Amino acid sequence: MSNKTRVFRPLGLTIAILTGIIAFSAYPLLKAYFAWRLNNCTTVDGFTCGSTTFPFDALTQGIAGLGILVFITAIFAWRGKPPEVRFVFQGSVLLTAFMLVLESIIRIQGDKPTIWEGGIDSTVQLFESVLKGQIPILILVALYIIWYCNRAPARAFYRQEAMKTLREIMEENKE
């Protein structure tokens, strides 16, 4: 019988992994899916319903690929094995966050579509507002993930070592 106790995932790490999946996997994948659907649809009458405010280009597709990478590494980070996966998960989150912020800056600074001479100005403004608003949120979420994955409870989970209590630490210091 093994006397090694199982170390459970701390709540903060659970929150970090789930927010990483939502912000850096689900969001880029859904954004790519909607961009693909809006740019490749045709109505029954043969009219296209393409939207130039949601571009489906190489940048969008690349970020969707990074979203898949974040999802795969999050599965391993959730299990906690191998222990080095926390670094891979953090790296994929940082890379995806950087690319999403870069995409936002590029889209905000890029050329604005002109369909029907200003017929979609409100849509373009809404799209720009979302892009501007997501930048601080993505940065804060990425910082939380990096911060919590490097805290002592998360490191103990990945090493599968029980954390010492304050009493145990005090007793060690007395000796």
Side-chain angles (χ1 to χ4, degrees):
M1 187 185 292
S2 174
N3 60 356
K4 190 172 184 176
T5 60
R6 181 167 183 243
V7 178
F8 293 98
R9 182 182 325 98
L11 178 63
L13 183 60
T14 301
I15 293 170
I17 293 170
L18 290 177
T19 56
I21 290 172
I22 292 168
F24 302 111
S25 183
Y27 174 65
L29 289 171
L30 286 173
K31 192 165 64 166
Y33 173 74
F34 286 128
W36 174 73
R37 289 291 293 168
L38 288 174
N39 287 306
N40 294 319
C41 68
T42 307
T43 62
V44 177
D45 298 327
F47 296 109
T48 61
C49 54
S51 169
T52 57
T53 57
F54 290 95
F56 186 65
D57 54 2
L59 186 59
T60 304
Q61 295 169 14
I63 293 172
L66 288 173
I68 293 170
L69 177 68
V70 169
F71 185 74
I72 291 169
T73 58
I75 292 170
F76 287 102
W78 184 267
R79 291 190 59 232
K81 293 178 183 159
E84 296 81 18
V85 75
R86 77 180 169 110
F87 299 115
V88 178
F89 176 64
Q90 291 175 53
S92 64
V93 163
L94 278 177
L95 181 61
T96 306
F98 175 76
M99 291 303 294
L100 283 168
V101 169
L102 183 67
E103 178 199 26
S104 297
I105 293 169
I106 289 171
R107 303 281 189 226
I108 291 169
Q109 300 297 326
D111 294 332
K112 310 298 184 272
T114 55
I115 296 178
W116 300 308
E117 292 301 317
I120 61 165
D121 282 340
S122 62
T123 306
V124 172
Q125 290 173 353
L126 175 67
F127 188 63
E128 284 184 6
S129 297
V130 169
L131 289 175
K132 289 177 186 176
Q134 81 178 1
I135 292 173
I137 293 170
L138 292 173
I139 291 171
L140 288 173
V141 169
L143 286 175
Y144 173 76
I145 292 168
I146 301 305
W147 171 72
Y148 202 89
C149 284
N150 288 307
R151 289 196 66 221
R155 289 192 315 259
F157 168 72
Y158 286 112
R159 287 190 310 256
Q160 284 296 300
E161 296 174 356
M163 287 188 57
K164 294 181 180 178
T165 63
L166 184 58
R167 179 174 289 166
E168 292 171 343
I169 294 171
M170 297 288 281
E171 289 173 4
E172 281 181 3
N173 289 336
K174 286 181 183 179
E175 297 174 356

